[in-house]
Amino acid sequence: MIGNLFGVLFDGIAYGSLLFLISVGLSVTMGMMNFINLAHGAFAMLGGYVCVTLLNRMGVPFLASLPLAFLAAAAVGLVLERSLYRRLYKASHLDQVLFSIGLTFMAVAGATWMWGPTQQPVVLPDWLRGQVSLLGLDVGAYRLFLIGVVVLVTAALGLLIERTRFGAQIRASVDNQVAAAGLGINVSRVFSLTFALGSGLAGLGGGLGIDVLGLDPTFPVKYMVYFLLVVAVGGAGTIKGPLLAAIILGVFDVAGKYYVPQIGAFVIYGLMVVLLILFPAGLVRRRG
């Protein structure tokens, strides 16, 4: 019983870590840049397809494909931000939603045309398969790897936002664009790089998530609600909030599907309602 409980808890943390990695970029664009980007999952899907293509068709090692997935999603995000997204920064939220939903369906159609409608297979390296012993209990090697990657990414992201000049420029640009521009900050460039960073993290998460979430052209639509849940419950514009929310939702989702499979995903929707009633502004509020 204890082993099963630990296994469910561990798998839930791994699943939540993956949701956080993909969702944190959405938290930045919604909370800091005040843009509702429902096409965020399309960047994660792009990262997944980049990994699959590099692995299956070009023989690139799995670890080498991950930074390339990040760079590909970041590059596409930068181009789209420069050419399309920035035109809607001052538009109504309804316009932003309609635009990003349309972009999502275009991404689904494009992925179907290029890679087909079926699930994409991925073969992990031997050292990421099977199980390893952790505190006397066997856990999945790949899920342990996921948690380790997310810990490193979260620490690096926290340092970037809180301890670097670029992080200070992001916070200044978000708080007051006019004042930031008056101080010599290129607000347009800061927003572009921030959007690219969030898109790249989604692409990295998409590459890491192929074995856990699966990958097919419906990916952006299938998991859109999950990414929004993480941001809404955790609090847009923060790192700690979505991380905490993703872990909680991941654990309850896995536990619900394991212990009460009859009601399946209803568990996290019920939990979402409770958490939003208790914390209507999110678990963690962004500091002004």
Side-chain angles (χ1 to χ4, degrees):
M1 180 66 181
I2 295 178
N4 288 340
L5 181 62
F6 181 83
V8 169
L9 180 63
F10 180 82
D11 286 349
I13 292 174
Y15 180 52
S17 298
L18 187 58
L19 290 179
F20 164 75
L21 185 59
I22 299 176
S23 304
V24 66
L26 181 60
S27 174
V28 171
T29 55
M30 285 183 64
M32 291 186 172
M33 300 169 68
N34 195 31
F35 192 99
I36 301 177
N37 180 24
L38 297 188
H40 188 74
F43 296 102
M45 180 179 69
L46 172 63
Y49 276 116
V50 167
C51 275
V52 164
T53 303
L54 292 173
L55 287 169
N56 296 343
R57 300 182 185 178
M58 302 181 183
V60 176
F62 178 70
L63 289 184
S65 71
L66 294 177
L68 294 175
F70 172 90
L71 292 174
V76 172
L78 181 63
V79 171
L80 289 178
E81 194 279 337
R82 287 280 185 176
S83 59
L84 296 177
Y85 278 95
R86 65 171 46 197
R87 301 173 186 271
L88 293 169
Y89 281 156
K90 295 182 179 180
S92 69
H93 286 167
L94 178 60
D95 289 338
Q96 295 172 357
V97 167
L98 291 174
F99 164 75
S100 56
I101 283 287
L103 197 60
T104 298
F105 288 127
M106 290 176 63
V108 170
T112 303
W113 178 71
M114 292 189 65
W115 288 281
T118 59
Q119 284 280 343
Q120 296 295 312
V122 61
V123 179
L124 296 174
D126 292 337
W127 59 277
L128 286 177
R129 301 181 199 171
Q131 296 184 320
V132 296
S133 179
L134 180 66
L135 301 176
L137 296 171
D138 292 333
V139 298
Y142 188 67
R143 283 163 173 74
L144 184 62
F145 171 74
L146 275 181
I147 294 174
V149 170
V150 170
V151 168
L152 292 176
V153 170
T154 304
L157 194 58
L159 289 174
L160 176 68
I161 299 284
E162 301 292 339
R163 304 291 183 184
T164 67
R165 179 183 178 86
F166 178 65
Q169 290 178 343
I170 293 175
R171 298 195 304 273
S173 300
V174 169
D175 290 338
N176 193 318
Q177 295 185 31
V178 176
L183 292 173
I185 297 174
N186 189 331
V187 176
S188 175
R189 184 179 65 183
V190 168
F191 273 23
S192 295
L193 293 176
T194 303
F195 192 91
L197 175 63
S199 302
L201 289 174
L204 176 61
L208 287 167
I210 301 171
D211 189 63
V212 178
L213 302 177
L215 180 65
D216 64 69
T218 64
F219 181 94
V221 178
K222 188 187 306 181
Y223 291 102
M224 180 190 298
V225 173
Y226 282 78
F227 305 148
L228 289 173
L229 281 179
V230 170
V231 177
V233 172
T238 70
I239 297 175
K240 294 179 181 178
L243 176 61
L244 181 59
I247 297 300
I248 293 174
L249 292 173
V251 168
F252 273 83
D253 190 35
V254 172
K257 292 176 180 176
Y258 182 83
Y259 290 112
V260 282
Q262 300 85 352
I263 58 176
F266 175 78
V267 172
I268 64 166
Y269 294 114
L271 179 65
M272 174 202 68
V273 172
V274 172
L275 290 176
L276 288 179
I277 290 174
L278 296 176
F279 306 95
L283 296 175
V284 178
R285 296 188 180 186
R286 185 174 70 87
R287 290 179 295 178

